[in-house]
Amino acid sequence: MEQHITYIGLDVHKDTIAVAVAGKREEVREYGKIANTSDALKTLTAKLSRAATELRFCYEAGPCGYGIQRQLTAAGHGCVVVAPSLIPRKPGDRIKTDRRDAINLAKLHRAGELTPVWVPDQAHEAIRDLVRARLAAVRTLRQARQQLSGFLLRHGHHYNRPAWTLMHRRWLAGLRFEHAVHHLVLEDCITAVEAATVRRDRLEAHIEAVLPDWSLAPVVRALQALRGLALVGAATLAAELGDITRFTKPRQLMAYLGLVPSEHSSGGTRRQGGITKTGNGAARRMLIEAAWSYRFPARISREQLLRQEGLTRSIRDTAWKAQERLCRRYRKLARAGKPPTVVTVAIARELAGFVWAIARQAQPTGA
């Protein structure tokens, strides 16, 4: 007996879900709209199961998260969350509605033209939310510092030494303004900087506290063997990349991070541009920050040596091989006259390959 498969496209919004249904050979049809609740989804699957032996759902990744995917998967149905940027679209199509989006998803899902994203489990998603909260705190701190520096610059005060130290704080306390209101503004800006600093430090302490109970804790410890990746950097990479084994080779990881050059070639002409900047921006930014440390000569510092204690010999050898190669590569590109930003991105691209190699060695089976 032939298995009857029904493909269902879901256009998910905060309150409603537009549904379209496509049989194996039937025309795609609109099913209608349902409420975005677990009970409404349960009713929908019960009705559709009467006419099909297998249901395969799909919807775009978005702000509503993975709750729908987890509910449908737990109920025994297939469900994929697809990457919105990789959905094929007709260049001349200028009409976009919920109904059309759902029909298009069902049609493309049946044709096998959709690219699914990796769906983390709830424990992994919780760690990733914590890491992203820390990144948001860093952005808030940077904005608060810029506002304070801009206020001082407008009034002719400039600190000519490294800022945000204890000496800098004492210098701020000694500033004098002509109007008393400016002292109120200064204290408010200082308070904002100090509050953002406390928030960042508190979140970093939380990350360090929850890591031992995480399934990817061995990967985080192993990644810290690399130069430029301390606890927060390694935890961010592990949280954002997730299951590293899904990348079969390092070039796939580099492309996922958007660190490969864009290209527009035709015929005998080959043109390459800047990096694509697709995929996960947080992980890409962390790698680029780590790549700056390779402008110094290769050596194992005391902090790095402490981070490598307890790691296997193969991981430590890979980390040293990365440092030798990337420091040499940095000097070579710099001598060739490449801009520092271009050199750093090139180093970050190769560093992604070593991250892939170390994570594959350290990641526990089934994580």
Side-chain angles (χ1 to χ4, degrees), residues 25-55:
R25 297 183 180 86
E26 302 168 1
E27 190 69 24
V28 183
R29 60 184 175 87
E30 177 191 8
Y31 183 87
K33 281 190 177 182
I34 64 172
N36 188 356
T37 63
S38 58
D39 291 338
L41 271 176
K42 192 174 181 180
T43 303
L44 172 68
T45 56
K47 289 181 179 179
L48 293 176
S49 297
R50 297 170 188 168
T53 56
E54 183 179 354
L55 301 180

Side-chain angles (χ1 to χ4, degrees), residues 118-120 124 214-220 222-223 226 229 233-257 280 283 287 315 349 351-367:
W118 177 72
V119 178
H124 187 105
W214 188 25
S215 61
L216 293 183
V219 177
V220 176
L223 290 180
L226 289 166
L229 286 177
T236 301
L237 282 177
E240 296 294 342
L241 296 178
D243 183 15
I244 201 75
T245 59
R246 72 185 193 275
F247 302 105
T248 57
K249 51 187 177 180
R251 288 183 181 273
Q252 290 182 350
L253 176 59
M254 296 172 191
Y256 172 78
L257 293 169
N280 195 292
L287 279 175
I315 291 177
R349 179 167 54 249
L351 179 59
F354 288 102
V355 166
W356 176 87
I358 287 180
R360 298 259 308 184
Q361 296 178 56
Q363 183 156 326
T365 304

Side-chain angles (χ1 to χ4, degrees), residues 28-344:
V28 183
R29 60 184 175 87
E30 177 191 8
Y31 183 87
K33 281 190 177 182
I34 64 172
N36 188 356
T37 63
S38 58
D39 291 338
L41 271 176
K42 192 174 181 180
T43 303
L44 172 68
T45 56
K47 289 181 179 179
L48 293 176
S49 297
R50 297 170 188 168
T53 56
E54 183 179 354
L55 301 180
R56 296 183 182 178
F57 293 84
C58 71
Y59 67 97
E60 295 182 38
C64 293
Y66 306 107
I68 293 175
Q69 192 272 346
R70 291 183 181 124
Q71 179 182 345
L72 293 173
T73 303
H77 306 295
C79 182
V80 295
V81 184
V82 302
S85 60
L86 299 179
I87 296 176
R89 303 188 189 278
K90 297 177 181 178
D93 193 356
R94 294 292 184 268
I95 301 177
K96 184 183 184 303
T97 63
D98 297 347
R99 170 182 167 275
R100 281 175 174 249
D101 287 346
I103 290 175
N104 190 45
L105 283 172
K107 189 183 301 182
L108 292 172
H109 190 31
R110 181 175 62 181
E113 296 292 330
L114 296 176
T115 304
V117 301
W118 177 72
V119 178
D121 58 30
Q122 289 180 308
H124 187 105
E125 190 175 14
I127 298 291
R128 191 174 67 178
D129 288 340
L130 179 60
V131 167
R132 289 181 177 179
R134 185 258 172 195
L135 292 175
V138 170
R139 285 194 296 269
T140 302
L141 175 59
R142 183 168 59 247
Q143 291 170 357
R145 286 176 172 179
Q146 288 171 345
Q147 289 172 358
L148 175 55
S149 298
F151 168 74
L152 295 175
L153 192 60
R154 287 197 304 273
H155 295 281
H157 298 288
H158 181 64
Y159 191 68
N160 295 313
R161 284 172 288 181
W164 318 117
T165 61
L166 181 59
M167 291 299 296
H168 180 241
R169 180 64 182 88
R170 292 172 180 172
W171 176 79
L172 291 174
L175 293 178
R176 294 292 178 266
F177 296 92
E178 184 177 350
H179 298 282
V181 173
H182 288 154
H183 287 280
L184 298 177
V185 177
L186 174 64
E187 289 302 322
D188 183 73
C189 290
I190 292 174
T191 302
V193 171
E194 291 177 345
T197 303
V198 170
R199 180 192 174 198
R200 180 202 61 186
D201 295 343
R202 182 175 63 249
L203 288 170
E204 288 182 359
H206 288 326
I207 292 173
E208 186 175 2
V210 301
L211 277 181
D213 299 326
W214 188 25
S215 61
L216 293 183
V219 177
V220 176
R221 286 194 295 270
L223 290 180
Q224 292 182 66
L226 289 166
R227 185 176 189 170
L229 286 177
L231 177 68
V232 172
T236 301
L237 282 177
E240 296 294 342
L241 296 178
D243 183 15
I244 201 75
T245 59
R246 72 185 193 275
F247 302 105
T248 57
K249 51 187 177 180
R251 288 183 181 273
Q252 290 182 350
L253 176 59
M254 296 172 191
Y256 172 78
L257 293 169
L259 288 170
V260 297
S262 58
E263 185 172 344
H264 186 79
S265 301
S266 179
T269 305
R270 184 169 185 251
R271 296 190 183 94
Q272 285 188 312
I275 59 173
T276 59
K277 293 186 179 180
T278 57
N280 195 292
R284 179 174 64 252
R285 188 162 51 247
M286 196 59 63
L287 279 175
I288 291 175
E289 288 181 7
W292 280 103
S293 64
Y294 291 92
R295 67 189 187 273
F296 302 112
R299 73 181 186 91
I300 298 179
S301 64
R302 181 177 181 274
E303 293 78 10
Q304 190 178 0
L305 185 63
L306 292 174
R307 296 201 302 264
Q308 290 184 0
E309 289 182 355
L311 298 178
T312 62
R313 183 69 184 178
S314 61
I315 291 177
R316 285 181 285 148
D317 289 344
T318 303
W320 177 243
K321 180 182 177 182
Q323 191 168 169
E324 281 188 314
R325 174 182 171 82
L326 297 181
C327 290
R328 183 173 64 250
R329 182 78 170 152
Y330 198 105
R331 291 193 301 271
K332 181 179 179 180
L333 292 174
R335 284 197 301 266
K338 300 290 184 182
T341 51
V342 174
V343 175
T344 306

